[in-house]
Amino acid sequence: MTDILDKLATEQPDGPAANPLLPPRQKRQAAIITALALALYFFLRWLPTGTSLNHMDFRVTGKGALEFCDPANPQFIPVIAAKSPVALMLKSDTPPVKNHESHFTLTMRTAGGKPIGPADLLVSHTQKLHLLIVDPTLSDYQHIHPEPGRRAGDWEFAFTPQRPGAYRVFADFTPVATSRGLYAAADFTVPGEVATVIQTVNTTSQVNNLNFELVPPGRFRAGISADLILRIESAGVEKKPVPLEPVMGAFAHVVAFDEQRSGFAHLHPQQLDLSQPPDEMKPELNFKVLIPNPGRYVIWAQVKLSGEEVFVPFWVDVLP
Ligand SMILES: [Cu+2]
């Protein structure tokens, strides 16, 4: 027994200072362990770890660089005036026609020409890529999530325009390399005469037998953070419950466009906890938004009820 203990004791290294004096067998063991660790390190590095893009691929230099949005203080994002570090190319299999479905391929590339695929984007609001598509009169708004296509950088979706005119597609996504929201835009045209739609301010609307109301602040002023309230109630005298269901990880999504479609603001309710749905009889959700420029804006609310998504437009004036 003592023999064994003595033997073990002689084989125990005495710490780093004793290393040069290690017997050959222990040196060999140390070398093997080091080699295995290195092999594991290079194996893990070799495994596909996702994006091949880095933050430099999304860098924009010069004036008008796109400011990243701070989700805690949602703002209107001037997508068209700003220079996006991402280039979009839009193609459809058949020319887009009013009330007909076309299949589109959206190609996303960095300014340097590198494709942007699903591995390069983070999931935000349950999706990697959100497209906010709107017609020139701002009366056909659709929110679409394209699927990755076969070629790197390609994203595919089906879309049925409900009106003629030059549609604008705003892409809303978050590169893995920067972890911050980024935006880009592309246009396509649906043939036909664009009717002049004069929109008047309206903050109430009835859709699917439900009364929707958007309550703006008493004076909705540009450059000042404003509070908005979205209220929903069943129409008619006898009130029925209106249980809101989560859609893309929120009880409502609100998107505002200016008349020129220079950009958008994408808002989410301050009630973030999905385990605490709003009141069933009269749900009420609160939003905050900062709109820098005065003018007329459409504010589209998107909610989900009984498995069906409902889109409701409101029109407001933002004062100087
Ligand atoms: Cu949203």
Side-chain angles (χ1 to χ4, degrees):
M1 182 69 184
T2 354
D3 282 358
I4 297 166
L5 284 177
D6 281 349
K7 196 166 177 266
L8 275 175
T10 55
E11 277 181 10
Q12 293 302 315
D14 290 325
N19 276 352
L21 305 169
L22 282 178
R25 204 180 122 205
Q26 286 186 4
K27 273 190 187 161
R28 208 164 48 239
Q29 280 177 349
I32 289 168
I33 290 167
T34 309
L36 283 174
L38 278 171
L40 183 67
Y41 171 77
F42 284 110
F43 173 72
L44 290 175
R45 283 213 37 185
W46 167 81
L47 281 176
T49 52
T51 188
S52 57
L53 305 175
N54 64 58
H55 70 279
M56 294 301 277
D57 289 312
F58 296 101
R59 195 182 57 147
V60 187
T61 48
K63 262 208 289 191
L66 204 56
E67 284 292 331
F68 296 104
C69 184
D70 170 9
N73 293 294
Q75 281 202 22
F76 186 86
I77 301 145
V79 181
I80 301 300
K83 210 159 67 177
S84 176
V86 172
L88 300 186
M89 224 184 63
L90 202 53
K91 268 194 209 157
S92 61
D93 60 347
T94 52
V97 175
K98 184 183 154 183
N99 294 332
H100 281 83
E101 188 180 81
S102 280
H103 291 263
F104 287 82
T105 303
L106 178 79
T107 307
M108 287 180 80
R109 287 181 184 279
T110 65
K114 295 181 190 170
I116 302 172
D120 305 311
L121 301 179
L122 289 175
V123 170
S124 165
H125 286 283
T126 71
Q127 299 289 337
K128 293 206 166 194
L129 179 56
H130 297 261
L131 299 183
L132 315 176
I133 307 179
V134 70
D135 80 306
T137 66
L138 302 168
S139 28
D140 177 20
Y141 160 64
Q142 299 184 45
H143 183 153
I144 285 186
H145 303 120
E147 292 294 322
R150 250 179 299 164
R151 263 183 2 156
D154 278 2
W155 295 81
E156 303 193 351
F157 64 97
F159 181 78
T160 306
Q162 287 166 9
R163 303 183 73 97
Y167 272 75
R168 184 151 290 166
V169 179
F170 289 108
D172 182 342
F173 51 94
T174 305
V176 174
T178 59
S179 304
R180 302 181 86 169
L182 193 55
Y183 317 92
D187 292 359
F188 68 89
T189 301
V190 180
E193 187 124 0
V194 180
T196 316
V197 180
I198 312 260
Q199 292 292 357
T200 47
V201 168
N202 107 61
T203 55
T204 57
S205 188
Q206 207 183 85
V207 182
N208 290 4
N209 242 358
L210 295 166
N211 288 331
F212 288 83
E213 187 186 5
L214 184 85
V215 187
R219 279 174 64 77
F220 195 165
R221 290 175 61 197
I224 295 171
S225 179
D227 291 298
L228 306 172
I229 308 166
L230 176 68
R231 286 194 187 126
I232 307 164
E233 198 178 27
S234 78
V237 185
E238 213 179 297
K239 299 297 178 199
K240 294 186 198 109
V242 270
L244 287 181
E245 293 160 26
V247 49
M248 294 175 284
F251 284 113
H253 296 256
V254 164
V255 172
F257 299 104
D258 60 332
E259 282 188 307
Q260 298 73 39
R261 293 181 299 170
S262 69
F264 67 90
H266 188 170
L267 319 175
H268 298 105
Q270 289 174 302
Q271 293 84 350
L272 292 171
D273 189 354
L274 293 183
S275 68
Q276 299 203 317
D279 179 59
E280 267 202 356
M281 290 312 289
K282 204 173 178 179
E284 202 174 283
L285 296 163
N286 301 78
F287 301 85
K288 258 193 196 317
V289 66
L290 193 146
I291 293 185
N293 294 312
R296 187 153 291 175
Y297 287 79
V298 66
I299 300 181
W300 279 93
Q302 176 178 8
V303 294
K304 195 171 174 185
L305 288 148
S306 316
E308 197 198 338
E309 286 188 32
V310 184
F311 291 78
V312 185
F314 303 100
W315 288 83
V316 298
D317 276 336
V318 177
L319 307 166

